Amino acid sequence: MKYIQIKFILCTMFVLSPFIVNAQTVSENETDSLSSEKKTLVQVAFRKMAQSDLLGGVSVINMEELTKKNYNTYSLDNMQGYIGGWNGNSLWGMDSDNAGYLVLVDGIPRDANNVQPTEIEQITFLKGAQAVVLYGSRAAKGAIYITTKRGKTEGLSLSVWGNTGFYVSKSYPEYLGSAEYMTLYNEARANDGLSSLYSETDIYNYASGENPFRYPNMSFYSSEYLKKAYNRSDVTAEISGGGKRAHFYSNIGYYHQDDLFKFGEAKNNSISRLNVRGNVDVMISNSINAYINANATFYDSKSAKGDYWEAASTFRPNRVAALIPLSYIDPNALSAWDLVNSTSNIIDGKYFLGGKQTDQTNIFADYYAAGSSKWTSRQFQFDTGIDIDLNRMLDGLSFHTKFAVDYATAYTTSFDNTYSAYMPTWSNYNGKDVIVNMTKYNNDEKPGIQNVSESTDKQTIAFSGQFDYKKTFDTDHNVSAMLIASGYQQTLSAEYHRICNANLALQLGYNFQNKYYADFGASEIYSAKLAEGHRNAFSPSLTLGWRLGKESFLSGSNAVDDLMLSFSGSILHQDIDIADYYMYKSIWSQDYGWSWYDGSLERYTKSFRGENEDLTFIKRKEFSINLRTSLWQKLLTADASFFINSTEGRVITPNALFPNYFATGYPEASFVPYMNSNNDKRVGFDFNINLNKHIGDVDFTLGVAGTYYDTKATKRSEIKEFAYEKTQGQAVDGIWGLKSDGLFQSQEEIDNSPEQTFGGTIRPGDIKYIDQNNDGIIDNHDQVFLGKGGWYGSPFTLGINLTAKWKDFTFFALATGNFGAYGVKNSSYYWVYGDSKYSAIVRNRWTEDTKNTATYPRLTTQSGSNNFQTSDFWMYKTDRFDLAKLQITYDLPKYILRNTFIHGLSAYVSGANLLTISKERKHMEMSVGSAPQTRYYNIGVKAEF
């Protein structure tokens, strides 16, 4: 019923929207005035304000203008290249245990990936605490406000985009072929004191390649299975128009994307998305305006059954041949023919599915015969609001209210088949390999039943109501105020508690002659996660601003157009880092476990957690300074912020504060409660500098943006025996591990070194670690701080964008950089042990012959637990500089289109993710266990009617 109602609303709105607009239009001067004012307004919390009056902690991107020169497929794509404070993962490097920054689409909490760049007018990044205080708890990590486009009072207009492009894989992991794998596996067994598993004859047969079906050498990244490129195409239509009383905007878009695979069901893998958005604004009277926004998204993803990329990282090349030709079956092997003739899975009329006792299924056979699945997502979003001018009651007073209902559902439908796989018995007649018999595993079954699974749904209800007051007294005194009641509730399937945010907010602002500013914001928040009596908190924020550009000592300057300095102090209370409800409550459980005589078990009661009803909100305390300037008649504009914030009272179970008998290992029990304990500190700055210069016939715009932050764990509940073990005082995103001292070169060196206790027998070629406490033992007490992990974004993020316009051509380039963090090479590509698949990295292994040049430990068929510990042996710097985007756009001259129905025509070519400059480029561009990274090449056209 909900679907029918929402669809009816959408259909009615789009059918009627071109006709409900008033035929009257405003004059050209009125239109220019409105457009000019709109360009200078920035959406911030619950209001729009002039960009020149922003007091810091806010950055804005004009997406409507950006899209004209930079075609994107994701709303937040590489935004760090344009503004400071956003590093692609977080705002000002703020982490979160459960939820990060808040995304708002037209003021409603929604997903950024459900709105396309062509639908967006503006994106505002609310970084500072003072910028988000009115939103309450849920925006404590910052907020990103996406404003969709609206109709303009300039008659009816139609724009159409069409794009098609190709994704090209950057690289694939390199794995050893069968013969090399088998040779090195024998070596690994020898290292462990075991005999060889594969004979020289076996290795020769696998290496010869004469019969890859008997002696398989499976390469997952072969062109036999994968395309060189796959396509993505989209088309978007925008319709907008209006008169004096009403205007509307509609966006209808569709895209279809293929996949890399070229075999089996996987060659039909695809993603498709249809979106329909409509925004309608109506002037009901001179004092009442209303609007309705609606959006529907239909998303489908088809795929074969199984995870190909995961199998590619684990399935050894010599295990089984996925497809075996029927031609190898001896004509006289009647029993073998009887088996294959009974199967319904003869591939391309000439192959049967291979298998064996240990591999009765494999990913190739899955893609041919196991069936397929389809993930379906439907999202419907509706919001409406009324703006009332109350000047008759009080000059400068207005009222605004908004209500929204969103509904999203997703589910997977699948056809789940089973299939027969066959292990051939090979023989050789007169030098020719033939199959003389076969063993069958499993049965062919195609039930034809569509199964439904993974069904989820989410409902969002949001409401806000606010009184606004804005008045200028005696031309110099500008006063503003807002009183806001807002909240939203999200209901998630299979989740008992709803996600809620409810708060009252107050804003008071004053400026004198647009020169001296004071802005106070506060919210009273509520949380059901805390005990009664602790569920409310007051979050205040104060910002002071000074426009130095209007002072007498700068007002006549030829260099300084404008200069604004502001200072902010805030204390925000939040519960988004409180992981669950009722954490203040104790937990008790009964169990059986004690036996006093044969046949009896006694029940006992144990505590899992102590009680703490004083558990309270986590605080974000922040001080920030912002400087914004324009120089030499806007030749140079700059915006910079410095911030210090402290997250205090993170919730943990502080075992270090209680005697050790408050917790036991068996039976597992604890009286330790959750408490507000840990504190973190962040210090950093961001900047955004733009240079605008006309040189000859070319208009240049160069933008440089950056964000730097440093973290410190300022308080930790911990008991450490040695000072170097303490996390307090170190980076919050610290990587902790062992310091290595090369590889053991001999048994004598092992005997004369501290004992390494991570398991297994230590042999020459194993990693040697440094004994930090000189106790003669290498264990977890020898772990030290190794470097910053950059979990919430690299410590320093850089963005550079360049636009050059020459006549009707526009050249755009975007580059991003990330510096100052480290990573650990701990994927299965690097940590190779047991019977794992061998990657090319093992060619650099330690042997007696390579001991002086080896960069990889000895091979082992055991756990390798000593070598595969987090240590600086596996660390690398994640520093990188990426050419993220290049685009050339050509706008057909207007005079050519003068006598046509086409008002504008543009064509463009672009490339994305084109180049990475890094010492670790090969590693960074390689995906293990997941789809490869890609470059994207696109050609597009836009027409305006």
Side-chain angles (χ1 to χ4, degrees), residues 431-537:
K432 180 181 178 181
D433 287 334
V434 293
I435 298 171
V436 296
N437 203 350
M438 288 196 296
T439 303
K440 175 183 175 182
Y441 301 103
N442 304 319
N443 295 309
D444 291 327
E445 294 182 2
K446 295 183 178 180
I449 299 173
Q450 188 178 59
N451 300 301
V452 180
S453 61
E454 300 175 358
S455 178
T456 63
D457 62 79
K458 178 172 73 173
Q459 183 187 65
T460 301
I461 299 176
F463 171 81
S464 68
Q466 65 187 80
F467 285 98
D468 287 12
Y469 179 74
K470 191 173 183 180
K471 177 74 172 177
T472 298
F473 298 92
D474 298 330
T475 69
D476 291 333
H477 304 278
N478 303 294
V479 177
S480 66
M482 292 191 295
L483 180 62
I484 307 159
S486 68
Y488 67 84
Q489 176 180 278
Q490 290 182 323
T491 304
L492 307 179
S493 57
E495 294 287 341
Y496 178 77
H497 282 283
R498 299 177 176 91
I499 298 173
C500 298
N501 186 74
N503 63 286
L504 295 172
L506 174 68
Q507 181 271 332
L508 299 172
Y510 170 78
N511 79 70
F512 177 72
Q513 296 182 343
N514 293 321
K515 185 188 298 185
Y516 307 110
Y517 294 78
D519 190 273
F520 175 78
S523 61
E524 178 73 14
I525 66 173
Y526 172 85
S527 175
K529 291 182 177 180
L530 302 171
E532 293 185 11
H534 299 273
R535 291 179 173 174
N536 291 89

Side-chain angles (χ1 to χ4, degrees), residues 162-235:
N163 294 277
T164 188
F166 290 90
Y167 290 96
V168 180
S169 300
K170 289 185 176 181
S171 68
Y172 296 116
E174 183 181 358
Y175 290 97
L176 305 187
S178 293
E180 189 175 7
Y181 165 76
M182 295 162 71
T183 301
L184 296 191
Y185 190 78
N186 281 346
E187 178 185 307
R189 288 178 61 86
N191 290 340
D192 298 329
L194 303 173
S195 61
S196 294
L197 181 64
Y198 303 108
S199 69
E200 292 297 328
T201 301
D202 288 337
I203 295 173
Y204 171 80
N205 287 329
Y206 279 90
S208 69
E210 292 180 2
N211 186 351
F213 306 102
R214 182 176 185 178
Y215 306 106
N217 183 22
M218 296 184 64
S219 174
F220 282 76
Y221 303 104
S222 166
S223 59
E224 181 180 355
Y225 308 118
L226 303 178
K227 304 173 188 175
K228 291 183 178 180
Y230 61 98
N231 178 257
R232 183 191 190 277
S233 297
D234 66 66
V235 60

Side-chain angles (χ1 to χ4, degrees), residues 584-598:
Y584 57 88
K585 285 287 190 181
S586 60
I587 295 180
W588 294 80
S589 176
Q590 286 191 327
D591 203 350
Y592 290 97
W594 305 110
S595 176
W596 297 103
Y597 55 88
D598 289 345

Side-chain angles (χ1 to χ4, degrees), residues 66 128 172 256 258 370 437 506 580 592 607 655 749 754 803 861 928:
L66 180 63
Y172 296 116
H256 181 87
D258 296 328
N437 203 350
L506 174 68
D580 208 347
Y592 290 97
S607 169
N655 293 296
E749 184 180 2
T803 304
T861 60
V928 178

Side-chain angles (χ1 to χ4, degrees), residues 67-92:
T67 304
K68 293 178 181 179
K69 60 184 178 182
N70 183 20
Y71 163 78
N72 279 322
T73 59
Y74 172 54
S75 59
L76 299 181
D77 187 49
N78 288 312
M79 289 294 127
Q80 67 271 30
Y82 312 102
I83 55 103
W86 166 253
N87 59 26
N89 293 309
S90 64
L91 294 160
W92 282 359

Side-chain angles (χ1 to χ4, degrees), residues 643-655:
F643 60 89
I644 302 174
N645 71 47
S646 178
T647 302
E648 299 182 2
R650 287 188 177 276
V651 177
I652 64 166
T653 50
N655 293 296

